[in-house]
């Protein structure tokens, strides 16, 4: 029997993307899963949209950040396996199937990562460039990558809880880097399988593309510090 998977989605003011995210997650062909959305005190109409879908909604009373939202999602999950993604990402119908097979073959002490599809949801020049670039960057080292990104991360639930989850006092864009490095230091392995894909909704302009590149450079610098 396939492991039960909990898809955990943090949401903060994601009204423009959360419906597509949930439609895609719930359309998965994987036989045993649940979808948990943790709303981080959104001020838009996210809650109204989320309530239209057959998922579990956990509402936070104050805005506390993505790491806390992910940890709360994990605490409220029933799955043997946790699959983390974002409110602006859409799972493919076979994403969980590929992820489940890859993690089962690798073992429970492996944190398994995926990546973005080559073609993003909004197929514009700047969004396409970002999706292709991130796909290449995240899959060039499939064994022992520097880190596994939380937009497509699969981890054994017991392993996640034993390592105390994501640090909630960490810079939001770097929490998955810190988490990956901490798990590796405690005996876990990291791996990336390019068949595990989510389609990202960028809505990027030139300015947004440059901001994202700047943020990615911060990840690179932080990764270097973590490994020293």
């Amino acid at each position: 029997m396939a492991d039960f998977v909990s898809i955990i989605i943090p949401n903060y003011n994601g009204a423009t993307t959360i419906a597509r995210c949930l439609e895609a997650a719930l359309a998965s062909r994987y036989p045993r899963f649940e979808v948990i959305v943790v709303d981080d005190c959104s001020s838009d109409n996210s809650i109204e949209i989320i309530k239209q879908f057959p998922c579990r909604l956990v509402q936070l009373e104050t805005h506390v950040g993505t790491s806390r939202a992910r940890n709360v999602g994990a605490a409220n999950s029933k799955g043997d396996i946790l699959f983390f993604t974002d409110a602006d990402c859409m799972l493919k119908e076979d994403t969980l199937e590929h992820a489940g097979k890859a993690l089962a073959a690798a073992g429970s002490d492996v944190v398994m990562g995926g990546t973005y599809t080559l073609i993003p949801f909004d197929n514009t020049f700047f969004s396409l460039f970002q999706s292709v670039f991130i796909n290449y960057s995240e899959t060039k080292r499939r064994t022992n990558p520097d880190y596994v990104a939380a937009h497509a991360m699969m981890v054994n639930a017991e392993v996640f809880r034993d390592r105390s989850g994501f640090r909630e006092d960490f810079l939001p864009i770097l929490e998955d880097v810190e988490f990956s490095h901490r798990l590796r230091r405690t005996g876990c392995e990291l791996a990336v399988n390019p068949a595990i894909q989510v389609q990202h909704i960028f809505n990027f302009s030139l300015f947004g593309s440059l901001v994202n590149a700047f943020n990615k450079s911060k990840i690179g610098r932080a990764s270097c510090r973590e490994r020293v």
Side-chain angles (χ1 to χ4, degrees):
M1 182 181 293
D3 287 323
F4 190 79
V5 175
S6 296
I7 303 173
I8 298 173
I9 305 168
N11 176 77
Y12 177 64
N13 290 343
T16 59
T17 63
I18 191 62
R20 293 189 180 96
C21 172
L22 290 175
E23 287 171 356
L26 291 164
S28 174
R29 294 198 300 259
Y30 191 80
R32 303 178 66 230
F33 71 94
E34 65 177 350
V35 178
I36 301 172
V37 182
V38 182
D39 186 78
D40 192 14
C41 199
S42 293
S43 57
D44 62 6
N45 65 329
S46 291
I47 298 297
E48 299 171 20
I49 297 171
I50 296 166
K51 286 182 176 179
Q52 298 174 18
F53 293 88
C55 63
R56 183 171 185 181
L57 170 63
V58 181
Q59 294 180 245
L60 302 181
E61 295 183 357
T62 57
H63 178 50
V64 290
T66 304
S67 290
R68 175 61 179 165
R70 291 197 182 107
N71 289 341
V72 169
N76 283 273
S77 67
K78 300 177 182 178
D80 308 298
I81 304 296
L82 308 178
F83 186 95
F84 293 98
T85 191
D86 294 326
D88 55 2
C89 292
M90 298 183 296
L91 275 68
K92 299 175 68 175
E93 289 184 353
D94 61 358
T95 297
L96 289 186
E97 183 179 359
H98 285 299
K101 288 180 179 178
L103 191 61
S108 61
D109 286 338
V110 174
V111 181
M112 184 65 60
T115 189
Y116 292 154
T117 57
L118 289 173
I119 307 300
F121 176 79
D122 48 319
N123 191 10
T124 62
F125 174 79
F126 294 112
S127 297
L128 178 62
F129 172 80
Q130 289 294 331
S131 204
V132 170
F133 174 75
I134 292 171
N135 179 288
Y136 167 76
S137 299
E138 291 179 344
T139 60
K140 63 183 179 181
R141 287 179 59 184
R142 301 180 187 183
T143 302
N144 194 29
D146 186 61
Y147 71 99
V148 170
H151 53 242
M153 174 190 285
M154 199 171 201
V155 58
N156 180 278
E158 289 188 10
V159 169
F160 182 85
R161 293 176 182 123
D162 286 346
R163 271 68 170 190
S164 302
F166 293 97
R167 270 184 58 178
E168 298 175 8
D169 60 344
F170 218 70
L171 187 66
I173 198 171
L174 299 172
E175 81 281 358
D176 47 7
V177 176
E178 189 280 332
F179 180 66
S180 297
H181 291 181
R182 175 159 40 92
L183 263 64
R184 181 162 48 207
R185 289 195 299 269
T186 58
C188 290
E189 296 181 16
L190 308 182
V192 170
N193 187 318
I196 304 170
Q197 296 187 350
V198 296
Q199 189 176 44
H200 194 252
I201 306 171
F202 286 97
N203 293 325
F204 266 170
S205 61
L206 173 60
F207 176 74
S209 183
L210 292 174
V211 169
N212 187 69
F214 173 74
N215 288 334
K216 291 296 181 183
S217 71
K218 290 197 292 187
I219 289 179
R221 292 196 298 271
S223 297
C224 290
R225 290 195 296 269
E226 283 282 338
R227 293 173 72 89
V228 171

